[in-house]
Amino acid sequence: TGETALEAFRDIHDLAASCRFRDCRHLQEPGCAVREAVASGQLPQARYDSFQKLAAEREHQQRQQDARALLEQKRRAKVAGKALHSRLKEKGAK
């Protein structure tokens, strides 16, 4: 999906190479070549809006995946903790 988005918005990614900051999100950062292209009419506003919408959706999806991974990690730790507690309790009873 990352490759598909890159190909679909190749023009914006090419413009982004000229941004002042490598991690520019093309929102409010100074020296953003993408927003400058929109302001000059080189890049249509609708195309920029579509790009930003897709970026927001991808960020949301990543946050959801991260949250699920954290919950799974907590679940595994809880199971391991209970198993350890049970094992220590068995050893203490002997």
Side-chain angles (χ1 to χ4, degrees):
T1 57
E3 288 297 317
T4 305
L6 178 64
E7 289 303 317
F9 292 102
R10 171 66 63 194
D11 56 340
I12 293 177
H13 287 280
D14 289 346
L15 285 168
S18 299
C19 288
R20 181 187 302 176
F21 302 106
R22 284 180 37 143
D23 63 345
C24 185
R25 296 181 63 215
H26 320 300
L27 295 172
Q28 300 173 6
E29 299 84 357
C32 176
V34 174
R35 285 188 304 115
E36 290 172 6
V38 172
S40 72
Q42 178 186 356
L43 180 68
Q45 181 70 46
R47 183 139 178 83
Y48 170 78
D49 292 343
S50 295
F51 173 78
Q52 287 297 354
K53 182 178 179 183
L54 180 63
E57 289 171 0
R58 289 178 68 200
E59 287 177 16
H60 175 74
Q61 184 179 36
Q62 185 62 44
R63 280 193 306 271
Q64 294 285 60
Q65 288 174 348
D66 290 347
R68 283 192 290 267
L70 181 59
L71 287 173
E72 179 62 19
Q73 183 180 16
K74 285 181 179 181
R75 186 194 65 77
R76 287 181 183 169
K78 187 175 181 178
V79 168
K82 284 183 177 184
L84 177 62
H85 179 73
S86 176
R87 179 78 172 136
L88 290 175
K89 191 173 179 181
E90 287 175 10
K91 276 187 140 183
K94 290 183 180 180

